[in-house]
Amino acid sequence: MDLVHNPSFLPGFSSILETKWKMVMNLQQHQKEGKKMNGRVKRSLCVSSSSVSNGGGGGRGAEMVVETVEKPNKLLSSNFEVFSGSPMPYGATVKNGGVNFAVFSGGAVSVTLCLISLSDLQENKVTEEILLDPLANKTGDVWHAFLVGDFKDMLYGYKFDGKFSPDEGHYYNSSRIVVDPYAKAVISRGEYGAFGPDGNCWPQMAGMVPSSDFEFDWEGDLPLRHHQKDLIIYEMHVRGFTRHESSMTSSPGTYLGVVEKLDHLKELGINCIELMPCQEYNELEYFSYNSVLGNYKMNFWGYSTVNYFSPMIRYSSAGIRNCGHDAINEVKFLVREAHKRGIEVIMDVVFNHTAEGNENGPVLSFRGIDNNVYYMLAPKGEFYNYSGCGNTFNCNHPVARQFILDCLRYWVTEVHIDGFRFDLASIMTRSSSLWDAVNVFGNPIEGDLLTTGTPLDSPPLIDMLSNDPILRGVKLIAEAWDTGGLYQVGKFPHWGIWSEWNGKYRDIVRQFIKGTDGLSGAFAECLCGSPNLYQEGRKPWNSINFICAHDGFTLGDLVTYNEKHNLANGEDNHDGENHNNSWNCGQEGEFVGFPVKKLRKRQMRNFFLCLMVSQGVPMFYMGDEYGHTKGGNNNTYCHDNYINYFRWDKKEETSSDFYRFCCLITKFRHECESLGLNDFPTSERLQWHGHAPCEPNWSETSRFVAFSLVDSVKGEIYVAFNTSHLPVMVTLPERQGYRWTPLVDTSKAAPFDFLSDDVSEKDLAIKQYAQFLDGNLYPMLSYSSIILLLSPEDHA
């Protein structure tokens, strides 16, 4: 029963209203006498102290109002003056000398604002409880209040009272303090991996009350706005990047640690970093003993968000100092310093599900506020699980999609983020629970028979993001699939601006480079930016090309293992992808003979060269630049250890000649006007070749693809891939008055794999090929690739 709309249910309700009216009139009289500032009318609200475990608020509404009305001096003992407040904006907002609190809940019958000091949080106590008056502090489905007082070291949360009926999708519990989805920082534990009180992996969390005292000096920072065709993206894990002792950073495993290593990225030719999830999550979510390694499993990757506005607090060196304000400023510092080096920052965001899991999961935030709205539910309250993680965020519900829009705008406007990669983005194209035309468009549409989860041609959320005046100007990248079988690579609703992780590029390139038949034509499409996928309405740069990412084999493991080796995860090797399209080059594992090691290095160079000469946007994973290995583990989500840490000592080893190769290839891509085209290449610029010029072989048995590309900077470049187990003699296209000069040959040992100007014996190396080049020929070994440049004939 709705107590708000059934006043007769409350005993003495009419007398209470009469008493409240007299109080308001008295307060107005005090205003006229100058005893209340700023012309605000103070509302009659209950303020008390209690324990977190106290069920305060729920079921005590009538009693508490009577107590407050009869004892108005109770308000004077509070640390805060409480006023009606405003329903917008959502969250906690500093204004007019106080803080406005506003939260949506369509099903709650009462809401209690809980204020918690930082010290009380550690003791599971609530400092102040304020029961919101549904008459004075509710507008529509938004509960709100405006408070004036001392908020130093103060946090907040809410208690929502209402129906607890999982079969109907309701999880209201007045004894549970939940986090505001709009909280700008979420505080629980300050140190990564540390437990809460009493060894609790899920201690009480609370949101930061904002303050105007913690401004950040942006030093004039403005968006870099790199054209997407010019990007080289580096996927990075904030903690893993500098946590290893060999990083020698002052704040390892933090945002500040990343800043200390930004020059490494600049040297590598990176102009965009994609941060794996760094919104607040609980690294102890999977905490359990791992008998295989003798340590404990963690949620290392972070694809299980608790709060979307808050940065991951324990990635900061500041921890919970100043209730999260300092952590926010560390993220801003990272973005500012990256921008100074010409590096954009993209965030990997996980709006497809949350950390609350299925019906057995914890009540942290969304579930306790309005489970029916925020999650995709079946008719009897079951959670749809298109994410594979227990729940599915109800992305196309009006409230949920407005929340996502507000969140992304915040990161762009307040933190200067340059774009977003959306994990399992296909979920954002599915119809919401209670989907119907009236719900979405305001009027019925004939034949509107969509059920929950049906893929939509024009999803309202994607429409909103694509046409938002702020967000349409940043990078929007979709992982265009989900675990419910929806695969949209090349088909994701895009409005001409969305890009996609091109999973088809990954699969085709892996197979062709290792020597699989029947893929020469598909490989050529990949080199051109996948026009078969993106030519209609999009550009080559809408394809994010990658061969390896956080999920799956590293580049080093891709050429070392035929099978996954995931025993360290403690799941009997049942987890992770079974079809990796990898090749161990003849022997499984790291301890092999010299010929196999030599071939593996060659294959790594082939993969990286392919990535950098393909149209579209190249992306690779941290550590691949030196050949990082995870021991064949392709699902390292749970390891906070050397498996996932960037090994700076390995990168610095003299044997890491692959790092040099990567730096030179990325530099070459930046220098070539033709390797980042705005449109798909045509025959005016591009020519395909086989073993002979202009005679490409697209047969089922062909393992050779070559092309020449006119370049306004380099003149013309020739690129060839021989993925056969046999060497070939290539006849080069004739260019009158010019001859071809070798630049890259992946079959050669360093430094002759890339003949940069600093190679002391460069001229001698070129002369060794003179007899072939004089005849317009070039010998290619098996499993190798080359780049040749066109140079004027020497008439001397």
Side-chain angles (χ1 to χ4, degrees), residues 129 179 240 245 248 302 320 629 656 750:
E129 284 192 358
V179 175
E245 58 185 14
M248 305 296 288
I320 61 176
T629 179
S656 183

Side-chain angles (χ1 to χ4, degrees), residues 466-702:
S466 304
N467 294 290
D468 183 78
I470 293 174
L471 299 176
R472 67 174 291 107
V474 303
K475 279 74 177 178
L476 300 175
I477 303 170
E479 184 184 35
W481 56 83
D482 64 24
T483 64
L486 184 56
Y487 190 80
Q488 296 176 307
V489 173
K491 301 175 184 177
F492 191 84
H494 55 79
W495 276 264
I497 63 174
W498 281 77
S499 300
E500 298 172 7
W501 266 27
N502 191 343
K504 292 184 178 180
Y505 176 98
R506 171 199 60 203
D507 298 339
I508 292 169
V509 168
R510 285 187 177 193
Q511 292 178 82
F512 183 79
I513 294 295
K514 77 172 184 173
T516 304
D517 284 337
L519 290 169
S520 57
F523 181 71
E525 292 272 10
C526 291
L527 293 172
C528 290
S530 301
N532 57 319
L533 299 177
Y534 302 110
Q535 196 160 30
E536 293 187 13
R538 284 194 271 186
K539 303 288 187 178
W541 44 264
N542 290 123
S543 173
I544 307 299
N545 301 330
F546 68 103
I547 296 164
C548 298
H550 70 273
D551 192 1
F553 280 151
T554 65
L555 186 58
D557 289 348
L558 186 65
V559 300
T560 305
Y561 298 94
N562 282 355
E563 308 294 336
K564 67 182 182 183
H565 295 265
N566 295 3
L567 286 174
N569 299 349
E571 300 177 43
D572 295 325
N573 211 38
H574 295 313
D575 63 304
E577 178 60 54
N578 291 317
H579 306 288
N580 296 285
N581 295 315
S582 59
W583 180 41
N584 62 19
C585 297
Q587 289 180 264
E588 189 81 353
E590 296 185 50
F591 301 104
V592 296
F594 178 75
V596 173
K597 288 184 176 180
K598 185 177 179 181
L599 179 56
R600 287 175 178 175
K601 284 192 174 184
R602 188 186 307 177
Q603 286 291 76
M604 287 172 63
R605 290 192 285 262
N606 290 335
F607 279 122
F608 202 81
L609 185 148
C610 172
L611 191 62
M612 292 301 154
V613 300
S614 299
Q615 301 299 327
V617 178
M619 183 196 81
F620 61 98
Y621 181 62
M622 77 173 196
D624 280 350
E625 66 266 37
Y626 68 82
H628 181 77
T629 179
K630 297 182 179 181
N633 192 328
N634 70 358
N635 189 33
T636 60
Y637 71 98
C638 58
H639 297 290
D640 180 35
N641 53 43
Y642 66 93
I643 295 176
N644 280 318
Y645 293 167
F646 189 102
R647 293 291 301 272
W648 294 93
D649 51 343
K650 298 294 184 183
K651 178 253 175 178
E652 296 298 335
E653 287 180 358
T654 56
S655 61
S656 183
D657 50 22
F658 184 61
Y659 175 69
R660 168 189 175 270
F661 181 84
C662 291
C663 290
L664 291 171
I665 288 292
T666 56
K667 182 174 182 288
F668 177 75
R669 179 182 174 90
H670 283 307
E671 291 173 347
C672 290
E673 164 267 343
S674 62
L675 294 181
L677 296 176
N678 193 47
D679 291 295
F680 296 99
T682 64
S683 58
E684 295 178 355
R685 181 190 286 268
L686 174 70
Q687 282 188 319
W688 295 106
H689 308 290
H691 295 162
C694 301
E695 296 181 12
N697 182 357
W698 308 121
S699 70
E700 284 294 307
T701 58
S702 173

Side-chain angles (χ1 to χ4, degrees), residues 446-461:
E446 186 176 352
D448 182 32
L449 300 175
L450 293 175
T451 58
T452 299
T454 300
L456 306 172
D457 292 332
S458 298
L461 173 60

Side-chain angles (χ1 to χ4, degrees), residues 272 327 372 509:
C272 180
N372 263 318
V509 168

Side-chain angles (χ1 to χ4, degrees), residues 317-342:
S317 64
I320 61 176
R321 189 174 66 227
N322 287 323
C323 293
H325 286 96
D326 289 356
I328 294 172
N329 283 347
E330 283 191 25
V331 180
K332 293 179 178 179
F333 179 67
L334 166 57
V335 174
R336 188 189 74 188
E337 295 306 300
H339 285 176
K340 286 181 180 179
R341 293 163 175 80

Side-chain angles (χ1 to χ4, degrees), residues 638-778:
C638 58
H639 297 290
D640 180 35
N641 53 43
Y642 66 93
I643 295 176
N644 280 318
Y645 293 167
F646 189 102
R647 293 291 301 272
W648 294 93
D649 51 343
K650 298 294 184 183
K651 178 253 175 178
E652 296 298 335
E653 287 180 358
T654 56
S655 61
S656 183
D657 50 22
F658 184 61
Y659 175 69
R660 168 189 175 270
F661 181 84
C662 291
C663 290
L664 291 171
I665 288 292
T666 56
K667 182 174 182 288
F668 177 75
R669 179 182 174 90
H670 283 307
E671 291 173 347
C672 290
E673 164 267 343
S674 62
L675 294 181
L677 296 176
N678 193 47
D679 291 295
F680 296 99
T682 64
S683 58
E684 295 178 355
R685 181 190 286 268
L686 174 70
Q687 282 188 319
W688 295 106
H689 308 290
H691 295 162
C694 301
E695 296 181 12
N697 182 357
W698 308 121
S699 70
E700 284 294 307
T701 58
S702 173
R703 298 185 184 180
F704 184 89
V705 171
F707 65 92
S708 57
L709 197 61
V710 175
D711 188 273
S712 62
V713 177
K714 301 294 184 181
E716 190 171 358
I717 62 176
Y718 177 91
V719 182
F721 296 87
N722 177 31
T723 63
S724 170
H725 61 286
L726 300 174
V728 297
M729 181 64 73
V730 179
T731 302
L732 304 172
E734 291 191 16
R735 299 291 184 258
Q736 193 68 30
Y738 294 85
R739 65 179 289 153
W740 293 101
T741 304
L743 178 69
V744 176
D745 188 334
T746 61
S747 70
K748 306 300 180 186
F752 303 108
D753 53 351
F754 195 114
L755 294 175
S756 56
D757 291 338
D758 61 348
V759 175
S760 59
E761 298 177 315
K762 175 182 177 180
D763 293 340
L764 178 60
I766 293 176
K767 285 181 180 180
Q768 290 177 343
Y769 280 86
Q771 58 181 331
F772 296 107
L773 295 172
D774 288 344
N776 227 32
L777 302 170
Y778 193 91

